[in-house]
PDB file of all heavy atoms in Angstrom:
ATOM      1  N   ALA A 329     115.800 -38.917  64.508  1.00 90.00           N
ATOM      2  CA  ALA A 329     116.286 -38.536  63.193  1.00 90.00           C
ATOM      3  C   ALA A 329     117.644 -39.238  62.965  1.00 90.00           C
ATOM      4  O   ALA A 329     117.915 -39.709  61.819  1.00 90.00           O
ATOM      5  CB  ALA A 329     116.327 -37.080  63.045  1.00 90.00           C
ATOM      6  N   GLY A 330     118.601 -39.255  63.934  1.00 93.00           N
ATOM      7  CA  GLY A 330     119.765 -39.863  63.760  1.00 93.00           C
ATOM      8  C   GLY A 330     119.675 -41.353  63.502  1.00 93.00           C
ATOM      9  O   GLY A 330     120.463 -41.931  62.694  1.00 93.00           O
ATOM     10  N   LYS A 331     118.689 -42.025  64.048  1.00 91.00           N
ATOM     11  CA  LYS A 331     118.468 -43.418  63.863  1.00 91.00           C
ATOM     12  C   LYS A 331     118.043 -43.651  62.362  1.00 91.00           C
ATOM     13  O   LYS A 331     118.539 -44.616  61.700  1.00 91.00           O
ATOM     14  CB  LYS A 331     117.458 -43.935  64.775  1.00 91.00           C
ATOM     15  CG  LYS A 331     117.136 -45.507  64.735  1.00 91.00           C
ATOM     16  CD  LYS A 331     116.219 -45.829  65.812  1.00 91.00           C
ATOM     17  CE  LYS A 331     115.968 -47.408  65.775  1.00 91.00           C
ATOM     18  NZ  LYS A 331     114.966 -47.833  66.789  1.00 91.00           N
ATOM     19  N   VAL A 332     117.178 -42.814  61.904  1.00 91.00           N
ATOM     20  CA  VAL A 332     116.644 -42.896  60.580  1.00 91.00           C
ATOM     21  C   VAL A 332     117.824 -42.702  59.566  1.00 91.00           C
ATOM     22  O   VAL A 332     118.014 -43.443  58.543  1.00 91.00           O
ATOM     23  CB  VAL A 332     115.548 -41.917  60.279  1.00 91.00           C
ATOM     24  CG1 VAL A 332     115.277 -41.697  58.825  1.00 91.00           C
ATOM     25  CG2 VAL A 332     114.231 -42.386  60.931  1.00 91.00           C
ATOM     26  N   ILE A 333     118.604 -41.638  59.770  1.00 94.00           N
ATOM     27  CA  ILE A 333     119.811 -41.397  58.881  1.00 94.00           C
ATOM     28  C   ILE A 333     120.759 -42.570  58.917  1.00 94.00           C
ATOM     29  O   ILE A 333     121.317 -42.929  57.923  1.00 94.00           O
ATOM     30  CB  ILE A 333     120.445 -40.060  59.312  1.00 94.00           C
ATOM     31  CG1 ILE A 333     119.486 -38.931  59.035  1.00 94.00           C
ATOM     32  CG2 ILE A 333     121.770 -39.835  58.545  1.00 94.00           C
ATOM     33  CD1 ILE A 333     120.021 -37.576  59.514  1.00 94.00           C
ATOM     34  N   GLY A 334     121.038 -43.084  60.141  1.00 94.00           N
ATOM     35  CA  GLY A 334     121.934 -44.257  60.230  1.00 94.00           C
ATOM     36  C   GLY A 334     121.465 -45.376  59.423  1.00 94.00           C
ATOM     37  O   GLY A 334     122.246 -46.106  58.828  1.00 94.00           O
ATOM     38  N   GLN A 335     120.124 -45.655  59.408  1.00 92.00           N
ATOM     39  CA  GLN A 335     119.605 -46.733  58.607  1.00 92.00           C
ATOM     40  C   GLN A 335     119.842 -46.522  57.116  1.00 92.00           C
ATOM     41  O   GLN A 335     120.102 -47.436  56.385  1.00 92.00           O
ATOM     42  CB  GLN A 335     118.206 -46.961  58.892  1.00 92.00           C
ATOM     43  CG  GLN A 335     117.829 -47.476  60.277  1.00 92.00           C
ATOM     44  CD  GLN A 335     116.359 -47.407  60.622  1.00 92.00           C
ATOM     45  OE1 GLN A 335     115.600 -46.719  60.052  1.00 92.00           O
ATOM     46  NE2 GLN A 335     115.913 -48.185  61.653  1.00 92.00           N
ATOM     47  N   THR A 336     119.710 -45.246  56.798  1.00 93.00           N
ATOM     48  CA  THR A 336     119.927 -44.869  55.327  1.00 93.00           C
ATOM     49  C   THR A 336     121.390 -45.022  54.979  1.00 93.00           C
ATOM     50  O   THR A 336     121.720 -45.631  53.959  1.00 93.00           O
ATOM     51  CB  THR A 336     119.597 -43.422  55.112  1.00 93.00           C
ATOM     52  OG1 THR A 336     118.158 -43.264  55.398  1.00 93.00           O
ATOM     53  CG2 THR A 336     119.807 -43.029  53.623  1.00 93.00           C
ATOM     54  N   LEU A 337     122.376 -44.641  55.840  1.00 95.00           N
ATOM     55  CA  LEU A 337     123.751 -44.768  55.570  1.00 95.00           C
ATOM     56  C   LEU A 337     124.148 -46.236  55.452  1.00 95.00           C
ATOM     57  O   LEU A 337     125.046 -46.600  54.632  1.00 95.00           O
ATOM     58  CB  LEU A 337     124.561 -44.119  56.663  1.00 95.00           C
ATOM     59  CG  LEU A 337     124.393 -42.626  56.840  1.00 95.00           C
ATOM     60  CD1 LEU A 337     125.431 -42.106  57.994  1.00 95.00           C
ATOM     61  CD2 LEU A 337     124.632 -41.893  55.668  1.00 95.00           C
ATOM     62  N   LEU A 338     123.513 -47.064  56.206  1.00 92.00           N
ATOM     63  CA  LEU A 338     123.734 -48.465  56.129  1.00 92.00           C
ATOM     64  C   LEU A 338     123.494 -49.084  54.812  1.00 92.00           C
ATOM     65  O   LEU A 338     124.126 -50.052  54.299  1.00 92.00           O
ATOM     66  CB  LEU A 338     122.944 -49.211  57.209  1.00 92.00           C
ATOM     67  CG  LEU A 338     123.216 -50.726  57.424  1.00 92.00           C
ATOM     68  CD1 LEU A 338     124.604 -51.018  57.755  1.00 92.00           C
ATOM     69  CD2 LEU A 338     122.230 -51.276  58.434  1.00 92.00           C
ATOM     70  N   SER A 339     122.509 -48.419  54.074  1.00 91.00           N
ATOM     71  CA  SER A 339     122.169 -48.915  52.733  1.00 91.00           C
ATOM     72  C   SER A 339     122.949 -48.304  51.604  1.00 91.00           C
ATOM     73  O   SER A 339     122.956 -48.726  50.551  1.00 91.00           O
ATOM     74  CB  SER A 339     120.645 -48.670  52.503  1.00 91.00           C
ATOM     75  OG  SER A 339     120.402 -47.285  52.320  1.00 91.00           O
ATOM     76  N   TRP A 340     123.722 -47.237  52.006  1.00 93.00           N
ATOM     77  CA  TRP A 340     124.532 -46.605  50.991  1.00 93.00           C
ATOM     78  C   TRP A 340     125.903 -47.181  50.906  1.00 93.00           C
ATOM     79  O   TRP A 340     126.906 -46.644  51.447  1.00 93.00           O
ATOM     80  CB  TRP A 340     124.704 -45.092  51.391  1.00 93.00           C
ATOM     81  CG  TRP A 340     123.504 -44.285  51.077  1.00 93.00           C
ATOM     82  CD1 TRP A 340     122.406 -44.666  50.408  1.00 93.00           C
ATOM     83  CD2 TRP A 340     123.293 -42.883  51.344  1.00 93.00           C
ATOM     84  NE1 TRP A 340     121.429 -43.610  50.257  1.00 93.00           N
ATOM     85  CE2 TRP A 340     122.055 -42.509  50.819  1.00 93.00           C
ATOM     86  CE3 TRP A 340     124.025 -41.940  52.044  1.00 93.00           C
ATOM     87  CZ2 TRP A 340     121.478 -41.251  51.005  1.00 93.00           C
ATOM     88  CZ3 TRP A 340     123.516 -40.659  52.186  1.00 93.00           C
ATOM     89  CH2 TRP A 340     122.298 -40.362  51.661  1.00 93.00           C
TER      90      TRP A 340
END
Side-chain angles (χ1 to χ4, degrees):
K331 185 176 181 180
V332 165
I333 294 173
Q335 292 170 342
T336 300
L337 298 186
L338 186 60
S339 69
W340 283 354

